[in-house]
Amino acid sequence: MTVSAKAFQQWLDGVAGTTSRAAVCRAAGIKRSTLAQQLVRGRVSVATVAAVSRSLHRPVVESLSAFEKFEDLSIGLREPSEAELLSQISDTDLLTEILNRSKAADTGAKTALLELSPVPHRTSVRTWLDAVGPADLRQQLAREVGIAPQNLSAQISANRLTAELAISSARIAGVGLANGLVATGFLAPDEAGWLPGARSITLRQTPDSTLVSLAAERLDSLGRTLKRIEADTAAAQQLWENLG
């Protein structure tokens, strides 16, 4: 997703002051040629906006809200629901927590505190979409933004989602507009206004039955994915054998 080069230059002039473009690029970790190409094409990526914003120690959400297509982003911040927080806990961490609780129940010891893996995890986009619903969210999203359902599915399978799709998904689901940007890895949780340790707190407060049900859903989805991969691999192998 991009913003207009003109709008970007106006924003940059306002936030960078007399700092040279070369200095801005160095601080943001962006090649000068990359920014130059984007400006020539008339479109600057939102990733560039975020990188420059961070280098200037400005809130990324506030910076994005300076652009027309994101103008409601900052006022649309909302704390994630418990389901959203759990969706951003990896399968491995979820299973480890269940095993730790089971072990503690057997031994009478306290459940060991689990240090969670960072966001995003390998299926964070899909689990976030599943968490926010509604059931036809993907269909509504495809219609609203004009993307082919198979292309949307491909992004989700690859654990990717453009900023436009993530924000549009949040609007449809009625959740915080920046929450999907956390699931995609575009924003860090604190940049979206998530409280420190919110995932860990929610995990500790979630009943065993809920965690087990969630883990079962995750494993079922993983099983279907693995079956597709195995079938594709077998088909490709058979094709090579027939050709050979």
Side-chain angles (χ1 to χ4, degrees):
M1 194 171 183
T2 61
V3 298
S4 76
K6 181 179 179 181
F8 174 80
Q9 291 184 86
Q10 291 175 340
W11 170 77
L12 185 59
D13 289 341
V15 298
T18 59
T19 305
S20 68
R21 297 285 169 82
V24 168
C25 287
R26 282 196 302 272
I30 302 170
K31 292 182 178 179
R32 292 177 61 184
S33 59
T34 299
L35 179 58
Q37 289 171 0
Q38 292 182 20
L39 293 174
V40 168
R41 293 170 182 163
R43 310 300 301 175
V44 176
S45 72
V46 291
T48 296
V49 176
V52 171
S53 181
R54 292 182 181 110
S55 73
L56 296 172
H57 307 291
R58 298 182 63 85
V60 177
V61 169
E62 179 183 306
S63 295
L64 288 174
S65 296
F67 299 92
E68 183 177 1
K69 62 178 64 177
F70 297 115
E71 60 185 0
D72 62 340
L73 187 58
S74 60
I75 62 174
L77 290 180
R78 192 180 307 169
E79 288 187 15
S81 66
E82 291 184 0
E84 286 180 280
L85 291 168
L86 289 174
S87 78
Q88 297 312 297
I89 296 174
S90 71
D91 297 351
T92 300
D93 286 346
L94 190 62
L95 292 171
T96 299
E97 175 70 12
I98 292 171
L99 291 174
N100 285 347
R101 292 189 185 187
S102 179
K103 182 178 180 180
D106 290 341
T107 63
K110 286 187 176 181
T111 304
L113 293 179
L114 181 63
E115 183 176 349
L116 297 179
S117 305
V119 177
H121 57 80
R122 66 177 183 173
T123 58
S124 56
V125 169
R126 179 184 57 77
T127 54
W128 177 73
L129 290 171
D130 290 343
V132 298
D136 64 342
L137 174 58
R138 290 165 175 77
Q139 291 85 347
Q140 288 190 52
L141 179 60
R143 288 195 301 269
E144 182 170 304
V145 303
I147 184 175
Q150 62 268 28
N151 292 339
L152 176 59
S153 295
Q155 283 197 45
I156 296 171
S157 296
N159 206 35
R160 296 197 308 268
L161 209 60
T162 65
E164 178 186 16
L165 291 173
I167 294 171
S168 295
S169 298
R171 286 197 180 102
I172 294 170
V175 299
L177 296 187
N179 292 351
L181 298 177
V182 175
T184 66
F186 184 83
L187 290 179
D190 63 298
E191 291 178 324
W194 294 21
L195 296 176
R199 291 188 304 144
S200 295
I201 294 171
T202 298
L203 179 62
R204 289 197 297 270
Q205 293 177 345
T206 301
D208 294 353
S209 58
T210 302
L211 291 186
V212 171
S213 295
L214 182 57
E217 292 174 6
R218 298 268 193 98
L219 290 174
D220 182 58
S221 178
L222 177 59
R224 292 195 300 270
T225 299
L226 292 176
K227 284 182 179 179
R228 287 196 299 271
I229 293 173
E230 290 166 357
D232 290 343
T233 301
Q237 181 64 33
Q238 185 175 12
L239 177 60
W240 280 111
E241 290 175 355
N242 291 338
L243 291 175

